[in-house]
């Protein structure tokens, strides 16, 4: 079921006004989407890392040349959208893709039933001071292309929920018309294929707050939520939300589909193995 941008926004604002956090969930499979929806999430996001993650690979596989990210999200849409009953589904769009006419691609995503977009894969995960990132920026495959993609999607009436990694990016995305700014703290920690290196929660909360303030300076109506790094479990998200001002939710990908799957399957298998007969 596709939602118009204003309908999605109205639902998100109602959630905030009710005192509940806005929760987005990455869905790498139909079963992830189906049961995240039953758990009450407000948004579902499909992107190529979801497929890699639920196939046992690290989420950063989505940034490497293992497949056409934009084609993969279209394929995943066929698998996920039909099982979703009443939740906006967003597409993770590789805005730096030099082989797509982005206006045409976004129009096609709308036709396929997506209600919004997010910028993933994103070069924002690549160290801004590295030579590789600088070369990407210099050769037309930089973060500015992701900003342009979000602007195009907003102009076409889609809900836009971009990842940002710096205060300037938060401002740029807000200026481009972003509806929800997702303050990204890096690859999610915990679990078998999670990161081991990340910020501590206190530093993450400070950084999320800085991104929030920068975005709100541009557009006071924009919603800001957090994601990634040490914010892996519900108690981590609770800490960040209670130690920031104006941040209204959390987006979990590994946190909602990978981590609970790892534990549940392992524990279920162990219980079967412990059967006495």
């Amino acid at each position: 079921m596709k939602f118009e941008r204003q309908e999605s926004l109205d639902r998100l604002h109602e959630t905030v006004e009710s005192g509940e956090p806005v929760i987005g969930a990455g869905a790498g499979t139909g079963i992830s989407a189906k049961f995240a929806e039953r758990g009450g999430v407000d948004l579902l996001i499909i992107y190529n890392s979801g497929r890699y993650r639920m196939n046992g690979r690290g989420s950063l596989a989505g940034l490497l040349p293992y497949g056409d990210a934009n084609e993969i999200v279209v394929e995943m849409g066929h698998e996920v959208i039909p099982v979703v009953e009443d939740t906006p589904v967003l597409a993770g769009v590789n805005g730096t893709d030099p082989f797509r006419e982005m206006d045409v691609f976004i129009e096609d995503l709308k036709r396929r039933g997506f209600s919004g977009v997010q910028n993933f894969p994103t070069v924002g995960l690549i160290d801004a001071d590295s030579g590789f990132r600088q070369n990407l920026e210099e050769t037309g495959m930089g973060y500015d292309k992701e900003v342009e993609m979000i602007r195009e999607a907003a102009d076409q009436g889609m809900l836009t929920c971009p990842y940002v990694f710096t205060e300037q990016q938060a401002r740029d995305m807000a200026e481009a018309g972003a509806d929800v700014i997702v303050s990204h703290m890096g690859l999610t920690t915990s679990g078998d294929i999670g990161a081991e290196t990340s910020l501590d929660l206190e530093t993450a909360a400070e950084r999320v707050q800085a991104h929030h303030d920068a975005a709100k300076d541009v557009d006071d109506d924009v919603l800001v939520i957090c994601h990634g790094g040490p914010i892996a479990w519900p108690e981590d998200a609770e800490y960040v939300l209670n130690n920031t001002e104006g941040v209204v939710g959390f987006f979990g990908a590994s946190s909602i589909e990978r981590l609970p799957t790892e534990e549940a399957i392992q524990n279920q298998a162990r219980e079967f193995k412990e059967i006495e007969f």
Side-chain angles (χ1 to χ4, degrees):
M1 177 179 179
K2 185 173 71 175
F3 290 80
E4 296 300 320
R5 179 189 184 205
Q6 193 57 53
E7 184 178 5
S8 297
L9 275 173
D10 288 345
R11 288 165 61 125
L12 295 178
H13 283 286
E14 286 173 9
T15 296
V16 174
E17 289 164 8
S18 73
E20 294 183 4
V22 170
I23 302 297
T29 67
I31 200 165
S32 297
K34 177 180 286 190
F35 288 95
E37 181 177 50
R38 290 189 189 178
V41 301
D42 303 288
L43 300 168
L44 289 163
I45 302 93
I46 301 174
Y47 53 96
N48 70 332
S49 272
R51 172 170 289 181
Y52 295 128
R53 177 169 52 245
M54 297 309 284
N55 277 313
R57 277 71 177 183
S59 295
L60 290 183
L63 272 69
L64 296 172
Y66 303 142
D68 180 340
N70 285 330
E71 184 59 33
I72 287 171
V73 83
V74 170
E75 293 172 2
M76 293 173 69
H78 295 310
E79 300 163 1
V80 173
I81 290 175
V83 303
V84 176
E85 296 180 356
D86 190 36
T87 306
V89 178
L90 279 59
V93 177
N94 181 6
T96 65
D97 186 345
F99 301 101
R100 303 276 172 174
E101 293 292 335
M102 201 51 64
D103 57 340
V104 175
F105 183 57
I106 288 172
E107 186 175 0
D108 186 46
L109 292 174
K110 289 178 64 178
R111 182 177 62 82
R112 292 175 182 276
F114 287 97
S115 300
V117 299
Q118 185 174 63
N119 56 323
F120 194 91
T122 171
V123 299
L125 280 165
I126 302 170
D127 186 351
D129 295 325
S130 69
F132 180 53
R133 172 66 180 279
Q134 291 171 10
N135 289 162
L136 287 173
E137 301 286 348
E138 292 163 357
T139 54
M141 292 174 281
Y143 191 84
D144 61 311
K145 292 292 186 182
E146 299 177 27
V147 176
E148 291 176 19
M149 182 274 291
I150 292 295
R151 181 177 284 109
E152 177 63 38
D155 289 345
Q156 291 200 31
M158 297 193 85
L159 186 73
T160 52
C161 306
Y163 283 138
V164 305
F165 301 82
T166 69
E167 294 169 52
Q168 185 58 53
Q169 290 173 1
R171 286 188 283 267
D172 291 343
M173 285 298 191
E175 288 172 355
D179 301 304
V180 181
I181 295 290
V182 185
S183 178
H184 200 308
M185 295 295 107
L187 185 64
T188 301
T189 59
S190 298
D192 188 66
I193 55 174
E196 295 182 10
T197 303
S198 75
L199 307 170
D200 58 58
L201 273 174
E202 182 178 356
T203 303
E206 292 171 357
R207 194 168 293 183
V208 170
Q209 186 69 64
H211 295 170
H212 166 276
D213 296 347
K216 288 284 191 176
D217 281 344
V218 174
D219 181 2
D220 195 52
D221 290 330
V222 71
L223 300 175
V224 180
I225 65 177
C226 59
H227 168 75
I231 317 170
W233 298 95
E235 56 267 29
D236 303 326
E238 183 176 39
Y239 174 89
V240 172
L241 295 181
N242 283 323
N243 286 275
T244 52
E245 187 70 34
V247 179
V248 296
F250 170 73
F251 167 52
S254 291
S255 297
I256 289 180
E257 65 173 354
R258 174 176 65 81
L259 294 177
T261 298
E262 287 180 15
E263 289 196 350
I265 292 176
Q266 179 173 306
N267 291 338
Q268 185 82 336
R270 182 179 291 122
E271 287 187 26
F272 274 107
K273 285 296 293 180
E274 291 173 351
I275 292 173
E276 296 181 4
F277 69 103

